Amino acid sequence: MFRAETARPTRLRTGFELLELIYHVTVRNLRKSHGNAVYGMVMNVVQSALVLVIFVVMFQILGLKRIAIRGDFILYVMSGVFMFLTHTKALGAVSGADAPASPMMMHAPMNPIVAVSAAALASLYQQTFSAAVIILFYHTLIAPLTFHDPVGMVGMFVLSWFSGAAIGLIFYAAKPWQPEVVGILATIYARANMIASGKMVVANMASPKLRSWFEWNPLFHTIDQGRGYTFLNYHPRYTSIDYPVYCALACIMIGLMGQFFTSRYASLSWGKRH
């Protein structure tokens, strides 16, 4: 009767508290791979640089340099590799986020939306930092780089991340049911994108039969559109921005419905041996 009633928080306050929670979980995700945050970021830059070097060597050995877009060859490789890494890392981070039955979910403010958002943002931060460092290093010490439309190029970079996170959400929703199988499927998709992303193919120069192998992949569209924004003399004719956007939105809807269904049956006893 004489109990003091606390005022209900407003929606604006709840929204800011949610954003603050996502920020703290994002920082946690950035730090949990390595005890030293700086060392972890440096290792991520080194990993991205190694992948870039491997693809440059592959282009040289396979004789694919001749089909590259006219301009800086290293920038052409970067335009494919960075978007591929961003897409793949976002997918892996989201699909591997804290599950509904994980210990982190036992804390009251924590929920799957926060876990997924934080994992995706941490991945975007890492890949953006790595790409920026490598581009700055190459521009300063090796050769100056010129981007036809930097804003559009960054937009395709973010869209690659967004589509990867959206596909990862489907794996995240299915993972509690069969963690091993879903983990294998996510790995297969990521490895298949080494070729299926079409980063070693210029869409305008590819035959219709060859393009049909890649057109289903949203990453193929973002890479080709990104090259259109990067190079002055390249204009994509067979890819679009609409497809990866609609594909990502459809994957998010499927993932959210799957997550809602999974959360109704999630239990701490899943995965326990009797």
Side-chain angles (χ1 to χ4, degrees), residues 208-270:
K209 184 177 181 180
L210 181 60
R211 284 198 308 272
S212 65
W213 286 83
F214 307 113
E215 286 177 336
W216 61 270
N217 195 339
L219 183 57
F220 173 69
H221 291 258
T222 58
I223 289 176
D224 191 60
Q225 290 291 321
R227 285 169 173 165
Y229 288 115
T230 302
F231 296 96
L232 177 63
N233 57 353
Y234 183 71
H235 305 282
R237 298 196 303 267
Y238 302 105
T239 58
S240 68
I241 299 175
D242 295 341
Y243 177 77
V245 171
Y246 291 141
C247 183
L249 293 177
C251 289
I252 287 177
M253 291 302 298
I254 295 172
L256 289 176
M257 289 189 294
Q259 174 56 35
F260 175 76
F261 180 79
T262 300
S263 63
R264 296 175 60 187
Y265 298 95
S267 170
L268 289 174
S269 62
W270 280 17

